[in-house]
Amino acid sequence: MNVQQLESTAEALVTEGKGILAADESLGTIGKRFNAVGIESTEESRRAYREMLFITPGIGEFLSGVILFDETIRQKASDGTPLPEVLVEQGIIPGIKVDKGAKEMAFAPGEKVTEGLDGLRERLAEYKEMGARFAKWRAVITIVGQSLPTRRCIDANALTLARYAALCQEANIVPIVEPEVLIDGNHTIERCFEVTEETLRSTFNALYELRVHPKELLLKPNMVISGKEAPEQAGVEDVARYTVECLLRSVPAAVPGIVFLSGGQTDVQATKHLNAMNTMYENLPWELSFSYARALQELPMKTWAGDAENVEEAQRIFLHRAKMNSAARYGCYSEEIERDLVA
Ligand code: 13P
């Protein structure tokens, strides 16, 4: 394990003013997203779409890394350049999703545990050859009233995340550890706080037990937020405050950065929440950044709609969204700069 290399990659991923694009949707997920906006999902349409995002002029100013899916890391741009190389040319670090999805957990009705540890050491070695310098593994935790999640589901996922992270560090790949407490449901923000704290404590405990180095990983958590169906929705400042207070209680100061998922928030909401955290708090022990999929891609994907004629407009919208989140990293996002796009 090369500690210096891992630390410098982790730090580069949370460089000031830059964040991560999660473009690692599995075949099922990208199929659903394409379908919703009338794009047929084929190997070629997925390739063309992702190439369009990656070659967006100037995108390297706002993105430090992109997370790829197994299919994508093996694909090439129209000019024959492998897609990971296209990213490197933009000054962006290629990463790879290595989990194989969240599956029903035995003896835990309604809960899931993420699979993908079998053969992971060999897969990591292959991805490293292909240029990946960091990886991602997502675990999902479901809230249902006071009955879910169960402790056994939280702990099973925490242990799995820790085993994945240890294998990554052994392979000189920075692990992004993603325990996502889902936004689905009608729970309050307080209930989200309680479950997120329990999940993060269990996760960092497992990481410690398995000797994973906290300085050479990034955490990708949910924000602490009201359930999507909750009758009362917490405002922007409350989300920012609850989220940072929860993280202060449960994430070691040695972790260099926290890169949030957007998790079903709208694109503007995800930007506003990140901005509020960076405005309201100074001198936090970690960088607060983004690793969004939907909140960066929703409008660009819809605008592209599978038509080469729309590439320029989709890229313009994508660049703008990345720029807004870059501003949120400094706490200088505003509705005024949001409107610049229209001008
Ligand atoms: P969202 O930002 O759409 O939640 O996706 C982030 C991600 O990478 C989920 O694993």
Side-chain angles (χ1 to χ4, degrees):
M1 167 170 159
N2 183 334
V3 170
Q4 251 161 10
Q5 194 184 87
L6 286 168
E7 274 180 31
S8 71
T9 301
E11 278 162 20
L13 286 168
V14 290
T15 302
E16 268 204 342
K18 292 189 186 188
I20 297 170
L21 163 69
D24 61 334
E25 296 84 357
S26 61
L27 295 181
T29 304
I30 194 83
K32 264 190 257 163
R33 305 255 157 93
F34 271 9
N35 193 34
V37 294
I39 306 169
E40 194 193 344
S41 182
T42 64
E43 195 175 336
E44 175 50 23
S45 67
R46 295 187 292 269
R47 192 206 62 74
Y49 170 67
R50 282 155 172 161
E51 174 179 6
M52 172 201 71
L53 296 178
F54 304 166
I55 63 170
T56 297
I59 198 65
E61 197 184 327
F62 309 119
L63 294 184
S64 54
V66 169
I67 315 172
L68 303 167
F69 181 61
D70 179 79
E71 175 185 80
T72 322
I73 200 170
R74 302 170 193 280
Q75 285 177 323
K76 294 185 167 75
S78 332
D79 69 359
T81 314
L83 288 179
E85 241 174 77
V86 169
L87 293 174
V88 173
E89 283 168 10
Q90 290 269 43
I92 297 171
I93 305 173
I96 182 79
K97 167 199 176 81
V98 299
D99 68 71
K100 297 224 163 163
K103 307 285 160 66
E104 302 294 322
M105 182 168 155
F107 302 130
E111 298 194 290
K112 292 185 168 170
V113 66
T114 303
E115 296 186 354
L117 288 171
D118 286 355
L120 183 55
R121 179 178 273 128
E122 293 72 25
R123 285 163 59 221
L124 286 168
E126 189 193 6
Y127 290 140
K128 179 96 186 166
E129 278 294 301
M130 290 192 274
R133 288 170 54 196
F134 71 103
K136 184 194 98 171
W137 179 291
R138 173 174 179 255
V140 297
I141 303 294
T142 306
I143 300 181
V144 178
Q146 290 298 319
S147 58
L148 296 188
T150 60
R151 186 70 204 195
R152 61 191 180 278
C153 172
I154 291 177
D155 289 348
N157 276 296
L159 181 61
T160 314
L161 278 164
R163 289 185 59 195
Y164 138 82
L167 281 162
C168 285
Q169 290 187 342
E170 180 194 78
N172 292 317
I173 289 182
V174 171
I176 293 191
V177 173
E178 182 182 6
E180 175 177 1
V181 176
L182 296 172
I183 200 173
D184 307 322
N186 61 2
H187 50 271
T188 59
I189 190 169
E190 288 81 7
R191 177 73 178 135
C192 180
F193 184 105
E194 185 179 80
V195 172
T196 303
E197 181 179 1
E198 192 177 354
T199 301
L200 293 176
R201 283 179 182 274
S202 171
T203 301
F204 279 100
N205 189 45
L207 289 165
Y208 173 73
E209 294 291 341
L210 266 55
R211 303 291 180 265
V212 176
H213 295 217
K215 278 179 94 167
E216 290 108 45
L217 63 83
L218 297 175
L219 175 70
K220 177 163 173 169
N222 52 287
M223 294 182 193
V224 175
I225 198 164
S226 314
K228 208 156 190 149
E229 317 302 333
E232 220 174 288
Q233 292 288 315
V236 172
E237 290 199 353
D238 279 340
V239 170
R241 192 170 308 109
Y242 275 81
T243 302
V244 175
E245 294 302 325
C246 186
L247 296 169
L248 283 169
R249 289 191 192 196
S250 45
V251 182
V255 171
I258 294 175
V259 293
F260 293 102
L261 58 96
S262 60
Q265 303 176 49
T266 68
D267 50 5
V268 171
Q269 252 178 345
T271 308
K272 281 188 177 169
H273 288 148
L274 179 62
N275 186 64
M277 287 183 233
N278 282 315
T279 312
M280 289 159 57
Y281 292 87
E282 271 171 33
N283 304 320
L284 288 170
W286 355 260
E287 292 291 325
L288 291 185
S289 184
F290 58 92
S291 174
Y292 297 157
R294 281 163 287 179
L296 279 168
Q297 295 185 56
E298 201 173 347
L299 200 50
M301 187 188 287
K302 207 169 155 185
T303 306
W304 178 62
D307 187 340
E309 293 221 332
N310 301 329
V311 163
E312 249 179 65
E313 181 61 3
Q315 288 179 331
R316 190 173 80 95
I317 288 169
F318 176 52
L319 187 73
H320 173 77
R321 200 72 247 137
K323 190 175 172 183
M324 294 302 98
N325 286 301
S326 162
R329 290 224 42 206
Y330 296 105
C332 3
Y333 168 78
S334 67
E335 294 192 352
E336 200 182 337
I337 63 166
E338 183 67 69
R339 282 195 295 270
D340 284 353
L341 178 69
V342 192

